[in-house]
Amino acid sequence: MTELTEEWKPMGKPLMQTEEGRKSYSSARRGTYTFSVGDAVQVRSPNEEPWIAKLSGIFEDAAGALFAKLQWYLARTDLKGETNGDRKELLEGTSEDTNQIETILKKVHVFSKEAYYAMEDEEIKADNYYCSFRCIDLDAKKLEPIEKLEPI
């Protein structure tokens, strides 16, 4: 995997600024790559396999450090008792947290299962995923179908 080494920079004017000096943005740039709120991204993990998340916010703190608010996707094997699963299948999670933006490795796309399997180019499929369910309760393995998923 090619690691991006350029510095991250917020794009455009802040959407909002708090009294503490925190500024929110809709996108940030790293070299020639633009990452926007709503994009699906790979995030560095302590394991070999990166985590996948939806970028739900970008902000700069008063000291100028950039952060990403991330809504996590889950693997089917994250469900209690599940040991098998297609590594390309994701479950939309409900948990969010904030990471330094430098943990983002690259942009990916998440499609419906039908759209993913309709792709014929295996090289394109390599960096993409599919999602058909939202995980409501991880321990109880409670899932709900996602009615319509626009590719992100």
Side-chain angles (χ1 to χ4, degrees), residues 74-107:
L74 307 168
R76 183 148 310 257
T77 54
D78 291 329
L79 296 174
K80 188 176 182 178
E82 293 280 339
T83 57
N84 295 317
D86 181 347
R87 63 179 282 280
K88 292 301 188 164
E89 179 185 21
L90 301 175
L91 305 172
E92 186 178 272
T94 56
S95 65
E96 285 188 318
D97 66 14
T98 301
N99 290 37
Q100 292 180 329
I101 203 161
E102 290 84 7
T103 61
I104 294 176
L105 299 171
K106 67 180 180 177
K107 196 183 302 189

Side-chain angles (χ1 to χ4, degrees), residues 32-52:
T32 60
Y33 299 96
T34 299
F35 296 81
S36 299
V37 170
D39 285 345
V41 294
Q42 279 188 352
V43 180
R44 184 178 299 116
S45 79
N47 308 318
E48 187 175 314
E49 196 70 27
W51 292 320
I52 309 299

Side-chain angles (χ1 to χ4, degrees), residues 78-144:
D78 291 329
L79 296 174
K80 188 176 182 178
E82 293 280 339
T83 57
N84 295 317
D86 181 347
R87 63 179 282 280
K88 292 301 188 164
E89 179 185 21
L90 301 175
L91 305 172
E92 186 178 272
T94 56
S95 65
E96 285 188 318
D97 66 14
T98 301
N99 290 37
Q100 292 180 329
I101 203 161
E102 290 84 7
T103 61
I104 294 176
L105 299 171
K106 67 180 180 177
K107 196 183 302 189
V108 296
H109 295 282
V110 178
F111 296 94
S112 68
K113 185 175 186 176
E114 296 76 20
Y116 178 82
Y117 279 107
M119 285 187 243
E120 295 180 12
D121 188 332
E122 291 300 319
E123 192 171 312
I124 291 173
K125 286 170 82 171
D127 282 337
N128 294 297
Y129 301 85
Y130 68 88
C131 179
S132 302
F133 295 96
R134 182 175 293 110
C135 183
I136 303 303
D137 184 332
L138 190 60
D139 291 329
K141 297 198 270 188
K142 184 175 180 184
L143 306 176
E144 72 178 19

